[in-house]
Amino acid sequence: MNRKYRKTIIAGNWKMHKTATEAKAFAERLKGALPRAKRCSIVLCVPYVDIPAAVKLLKDSRVAVGAQNLHWESSGPFTGEISAGMLADLDVKYVIIGHSERRALFGETDHIINQKVHAALSAGLRPILCVGEDQDQRELGVTMEFISYQLKAALAGVTPEDMRRVVIAYEPIWAIGTGNTATPEQAGEVCGAIRSILRKLYGARIARSTTIQYGGSMNEANAEALLAQEDVDGGLIGGASLDPDKFLQIIHTANQD
Ligand code: PGA
C-alpha cells in the first residue's frame, strides 16, 4: 500500500452466494463493527438481487455497494441482462468487470470486457477490472505479456480522465478459490509491473494514483503480508468476504497505521 498517492480499497466479491435475507444480516453485522479510522475504502460486490437490501442497510455507512457484472448496452432486447444505468440508479458505485470466471465460464472476450468498461464509466460507475494469468502462462514465463495484453485490450479508448475512476485487480487464476495465494513477492512484482504498463499508457501521475488490488485466496491470515507490498493497494476477496468476521479482520489490517 502507499496511501500517500492512492486509495486502499478492500472489496468483497460474494459471487453467487447469499440471499437478500442473508445479505441483510451480514450488512448489519458489518456496519456495527467497522473501525472508526477511515484509512481504507470498503466495497461489497453482491449478487444483483441483494443490491437493494445492501444499499439500504449500508446507506450512511462507509461501505459502498458494487455489482459483479453488467451488460454493455444501455437498454434493449437482452433477456436476463442488467445495464450500467440500472445499477447506477440503485446507487451502486462499483462493478467487477473481466473476472476470470466470467471470461472462462461465460465466454467473455477482451472486446466484450472493453465494452463493459466503457458502459460502466459512462454511467458513472467505477469498474474493478480483473486481469491475471493461468498456471500454464506463469510456468511458460509469459505472465506479464499476457496481462499487458489484457490491460491494453480492456482499456482501449479509455481516456486519462476516465482512468482515474478505474480500479485494477490482479487475480492470478491459479490462486482463485484454491487456497494457493500468490506470495507477497509474486503479488507485489506483478502489481508493480501493472503500474509500469499504466505509466506507459497514461503517464506517471495516473499510474501512481491507480488502486491495484490483489485477489486470489486473500484472507485474514495473509492480508497483512500482501498489503505490505508497496504496489498492492487492497484486495478483491472472494471466500473470506462471506464471513463478516474474516472480512472485518482484513478491513482492520488495511486500516492499520
Ligand atoms: P477467492 O476469490 O478469494 O475466493 O480466491 C477471489 C476472486 O475470485 O475475486
Side-chain angles (χ1 to χ4, degrees):
M1 299 185 285
N2 184 335
R3 295 201 196 98
K4 187 168 162 213
Y5 293 119
R6 46 194 178 256
K7 262 192 187 177
T8 301
I9 305 178
I10 298 298
N13 172 13
W14 279 0
K15 309 191 180 184
M16 198 174 73
H17 292 285
K18 295 193 192 291
T19 61
T21 309
E22 290 164 340
K24 268 186 209 161
F26 184 107
E28 260 156 18
R29 165 89 185 91
L30 185 67
K31 221 167 111 172
L34 287 171
R36 272 166 184 268
K38 295 183 177 162
R39 295 192 196 90
C40 72
S41 301
I42 307 163
V43 183
L44 260 191
C45 297
V46 302
Y48 286 139
V49 294
D50 297 356
I51 289 173
V55 167
K56 193 171 168 201
L57 268 155
L58 295 169
K59 209 174 159 64
D60 306 322
S61 82
R62 45 189 291 238
V63 182
V65 175
Q68 302 169 15
N69 186 27
L70 81 178
H71 193 272
W72 61 88
E73 293 288 353
S74 52
S75 62
F78 304 104
T79 302
E81 293 293 320
I82 301 287
S83 73
M86 293 171 183
L87 296 174
D89 182 62
L90 287 178
D91 223 9
V92 167
K93 304 290 186 208
Y94 290 80
V95 59
I96 297 173
I97 297 178
H99 191 281
S100 60
E101 285 154 16
R102 297 220 52 93
R103 293 180 193 255
L105 304 173
F106 301 98
E108 291 197 9
T109 62
D110 292 295
H111 185 236
I112 289 175
I113 290 161
N114 176 250
Q115 288 179 288
K116 290 187 173 191
V117 168
H118 283 283
L121 289 167
S122 304
L125 302 176
R126 297 193 63 180
I128 300 178
L129 170 65
C130 302
V131 295
E133 82 288 4
D134 65 18
Q135 184 74 44
D136 282 355
Q137 289 160 336
R138 177 156 281 268
E139 281 169 14
L140 290 168
V142 296
T143 296
M144 279 328 301
E145 285 85 347
F146 181 68
I147 290 176
S148 170
Y149 165 78
Q150 283 187 318
L151 282 170
K152 284 181 189 162
L155 297 173
V158 173
T159 63
E161 186 56 28
D162 277 346
M163 188 59 205
R164 294 176 189 283
R165 290 188 287 130
V166 177
V167 175
I168 308 288
Y170 165 51
E171 297 213 307
I173 294 170
W174 47 271
I176 295 176
T178 58
N180 294 326
T181 321
T183 64
E185 293 71 25
Q186 285 170 327
E189 186 189 7
V190 179
C191 290
I194 289 173
R195 202 175 305 286
S196 302
I197 294 164
L198 296 180
R199 200 172 296 125
K200 285 191 198 121
L201 293 174
Y202 290 99
R205 262 208 170 161
I206 290 178
R208 197 174 60 186
S209 59
T210 301
T211 297
I212 304 177
Q213 302 173 311
Y214 167 78
S217 300
M218 193 182 211
N219 59 35
E220 68 289 3
N222 58 32
E224 185 163 14
L226 287 160
L227 294 172
Q229 296 286 318
E230 161 90 14
D231 285 301
V232 176
D233 307 312
L236 182 56
I237 299 137
S241 74
L242 295 172
D243 177 329
D245 295 318
K246 289 182 182 174
F247 193 54
L248 275 161
Q249 273 191 55
I250 299 172
I251 293 166
H252 280 290
T253 302
N255 241 324
Q256 272 167 30
D257 229 345

